[in-house]
């Protein structure tokens, strides 16, 4: 990434590039973190607009061999920026020790946090979020991006409690027919291990073909979608175990059960999504992408053409979101003084606990 790299500006269609550096932002509380990064709520001193800024340590990226992860993240965010249902990338830049991703701030956390707050989503809310997630998957796949780590923690909620997909570090980006044909060939050959495949994703949501080293495809995201739908319905993922190995065993053996009161239409759709053979999952062979999923009885009455324009059914049921503020004595930038202030916030527990929203 070159110095002060620029990405899409605040005004859609504006060809001018945004020039920013760390001193253009006041960094507030930490709202997320990863193995080599931290995410802060930050305010642009020029526009006063709040953003989420992911700060990646170059030394840790190199130490953990995450260079490709960062490149995929940036490419996918660039490609999906401005598309409804995805985090908007404002700009990227770097200094001598850090990389910075400036993305839209999702003030209402994640889908997982929403489920924790309301304990049990009602059927209207589940259909609403399932429809928005499915539309986002369609958009992503239409732009040749396979997410490979879809889960409730990576589904963010904007100011209207609408879905924003984030965290593209594990994504696979395919841009030509040869790559796609090779991908499908891998899935056709399920007999032995493939050196092309490697494990990515999160245990509870990873598909069998990825576990078996057969590579990933658009169908892998549909498997994850089935797991997310199950969790929205029941409150827990469909495959659970004391450790990843036991979870993988249950996935490979298709050890899944449905509670007695589980919605029958949802169960039918989930059973068609959670199929061992990725080429047999519902939607994967549709001429019109995922038409068979959208027309499933579970989505009866859902208007996919307007689902992102209507109000979220859960927003009024939740307490008002606390307005984030920045004190007057905060200075812009990430010089040693500001870094010390942020570290002090962490040590004394003033960061936004449990809010992994905006880890892009």
């Amino acid at each position: 990434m070159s110095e002060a790299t620029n990405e899409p500006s605040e005004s859609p269609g504006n060809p001018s590039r945004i020039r920013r550096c760390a001193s253009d932002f006041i960094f507030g509380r930490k709202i997320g973190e990863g193995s080599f990064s931290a995410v802060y709520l930050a305010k642009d001193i020029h526009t006063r607009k709040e953003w989420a800024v992911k700060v990646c340590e170059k030394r840790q990226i190199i130490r953990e061999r995450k260079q490709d992860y960062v490149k995929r993240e940036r490419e996918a965010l660039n490609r999906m920026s401005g598309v409804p249902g995805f985090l908007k990338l404002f700009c990227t830049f770097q200094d001598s020790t850090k990389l910075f991703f400036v993305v839209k701030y999702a003030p209402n956390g994640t889908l997982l946090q929403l489920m924790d707050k309301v304990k049990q989503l009602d059927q209207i809310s589940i259909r609403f979020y399932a429809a928005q997630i499915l539309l986002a998957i369609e958009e992503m796949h239409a732009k040749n991006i396979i997410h490979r780590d879809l889960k409730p923690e990576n589904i963010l909620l904007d100011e209207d409690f609408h879905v924003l997909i984030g965290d593209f570090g594990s994504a696979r980006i395919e841009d030509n027919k040869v790559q796609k044909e090779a991908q499908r060939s891998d899935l056709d050959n399920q007999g032995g291990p493939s050196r092309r495949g490697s494990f990515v994703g999160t245990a509870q949501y990873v598909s069998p073909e990825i576990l078996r080293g057969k590579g990933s495809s658009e169908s892998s995201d549909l498997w994850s979608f089935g797991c997310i739908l199950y969790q929205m319905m029941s409150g827990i993922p469909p495959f659970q175990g004391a450790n990843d190995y036991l979870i993988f065993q249950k996935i490979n053996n298709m050890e899944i059960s449905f509670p007695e009161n589980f919605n029958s239409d949802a169960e039918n759709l989930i059973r068609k999504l959670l199929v061992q053979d990725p080429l047999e999952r519902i939607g994967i062979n549709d001429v019109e992408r995922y038409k068979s999923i959208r027309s499933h009885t579970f989505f009866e009455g859902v208007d996919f053409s307007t689902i992102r324009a209507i109000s979220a059914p859960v927003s009024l049921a939740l307490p008002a979101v606390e307005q984030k503020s920045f004190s007057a004595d905060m200075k812009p930038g990430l010089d040693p003084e500001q870094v010390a202030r942020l570290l002090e916030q962490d040590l004394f527990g003033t960061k936004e606990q449990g809010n992994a929203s905006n880890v892009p």
Side-chain angles (χ1 to χ4, degrees):
M1 197 184 310
S2 61
E3 197 77 19
T5 304
N6 299 289
E7 300 305 343
S9 67
E10 287 184 275
S11 302
N14 186 347
S16 64
R17 290 181 174 273
I18 299 301
R19 294 285 179 185
R20 292 288 188 268
C21 62
S23 60
D24 289 308
F25 297 91
I26 298 172
F27 289 81
R29 69 186 69 191
K30 184 185 289 186
I31 56 177
E33 60 187 334
S35 60
F36 59 88
S37 64
V39 184
Y40 298 96
L41 177 62
K43 180 180 288 186
D44 188 324
I45 63 173
H46 306 286
T47 65
R48 314 308 294 173
K49 185 176 177 63
E50 293 181 359
W51 298 92
V53 181
K54 182 175 183 177
V55 183
C56 308
E57 295 288 341
K58 290 182 178 179
R59 282 192 296 180
Q60 287 180 268
I61 292 171
I62 294 170
R63 184 184 305 124
E64 299 182 28
R65 299 179 180 179
K66 294 291 188 179
Q67 294 93 324
D68 288 343
Y69 181 104
V70 174
K71 290 177 182 176
R72 287 194 299 265
E73 181 89 57
R74 181 170 177 264
E75 170 61 23
L77 282 171
N78 262 328
R79 194 171 296 196
M80 301 311 302
S81 189
V83 177
F86 296 88
L87 281 178
K88 176 183 179 180
L89 178 64
F90 176 56
C91 66
T92 63
F93 55 88
Q94 66 176 299
D95 60 23
S96 60
T97 62
K98 300 178 182 66
L99 304 176
F100 299 80
F101 288 75
V102 183
V103 300
K104 178 180 174 65
Y105 173 53
N108 286 310
T110 68
L111 179 61
L112 180 64
Q113 291 168 332
L114 175 65
M115 289 190 286
D116 288 343
K117 285 179 182 178
V118 301
K119 303 306 179 185
Q120 180 60 58
L121 290 173
D122 59 49
Q123 296 298 308
I124 294 175
S125 297
I126 292 171
R127 285 184 171 85
F128 174 85
Y129 283 111
Q132 288 207 343
I133 294 166
L134 181 60
L135 280 183
I137 292 173
E138 287 185 35
E139 293 279 7
M140 191 167 53
H141 291 174
K143 293 185 179 296
N144 300 318
I145 295 175
I146 304 165
H147 192 284
R148 301 200 296 182
D149 196 20
L150 284 173
K151 56 184 178 181
E153 296 96 314
N154 290 340
I155 299 170
L156 314 178
L157 302 175
D158 67 12
E159 59 277 5
D160 298 316
F161 285 89
H162 284 201
V163 160
L164 295 173
I165 304 296
D167 198 346
F168 286 93
S170 298
R172 180 172 175 175
I173 301 173
E174 305 286 9
D175 277 328
N176 61 57
K177 186 177 180 181
V178 173
Q179 287 175 313
K180 291 182 178 181
E181 287 178 349
Q183 176 194 98
R184 194 170 184 91
S185 176
D186 278 350
L187 297 177
D188 279 326
N189 176 21
Q190 293 288 313
S194 167
R195 291 190 300 174
R196 286 173 50 86
S198 59
F199 172 69
V200 293
T202 303
Q204 289 91 339
Y205 309 93
V206 70
S207 64
E209 62 272 15
I210 292 179
L211 286 182
R212 293 167 183 159
K214 300 307 301 179
S216 54
S217 71
E218 294 176 353
S219 187
S220 305
D221 284 345
L222 294 181
W223 172 281
S224 299
F225 174 61
C227 293
I228 294 168
L229 179 55
Y230 182 102
Q231 187 168 352
M232 285 196 288
M233 294 294 304
S234 68
I236 58 175
F239 303 100
Q240 298 187 85
N243 53 51
D244 286 357
Y245 175 77
L246 294 177
I247 294 172
F248 296 159
Q249 289 293 100
K250 290 187 176 183
I251 292 172
N252 276 321
N253 297 327
M254 285 302 296
E255 296 179 31
I256 182 173
S257 61
F258 292 82
E260 287 185 9
N261 62 345
F262 205 95
N263 179 280
S264 59
D265 289 330
E267 177 178 344
N268 181 271
L269 176 56
I270 291 167
R271 288 189 182 279
K272 291 180 177 180
L273 288 164
L274 301 185
V275 175
Q276 286 276 6
D277 185 347
L279 300 178
E280 295 298 323
R281 287 176 201 145
I282 185 173
I284 199 61
N285 295 307
D286 291 352
V287 175
E288 180 184 337
R289 187 175 268 114
Y290 310 143
K291 181 178 180 180
S292 61
I293 302 177
R294 283 186 273 109
S295 61
H296 190 276
T297 52
F298 174 74
F299 287 115
E300 185 176 356
V302 174
D303 185 347
F304 281 84
S305 67
T306 63
I307 194 67
R308 287 202 58 84
I310 65 176
S311 298
V314 299
S315 58
L316 297 178
L318 294 174
V321 177
E322 176 188 355
Q323 293 297 311
K324 305 298 184 293
S325 60
F326 295 81
S327 61
D329 61 342
M330 288 183 177
K331 298 178 182 179
L334 274 182
D335 60 24
E337 180 183 353
Q338 300 309 316
V339 171
R341 173 178 60 81
L342 293 171
L343 287 174
E344 184 179 7
Q345 285 182 189
D346 286 349
L347 288 174
F348 289 94
T350 57
K351 71 177 181 178
E352 195 170 352
Q353 296 292 340
N355 188 352
S357 66
N358 291 289
V359 179

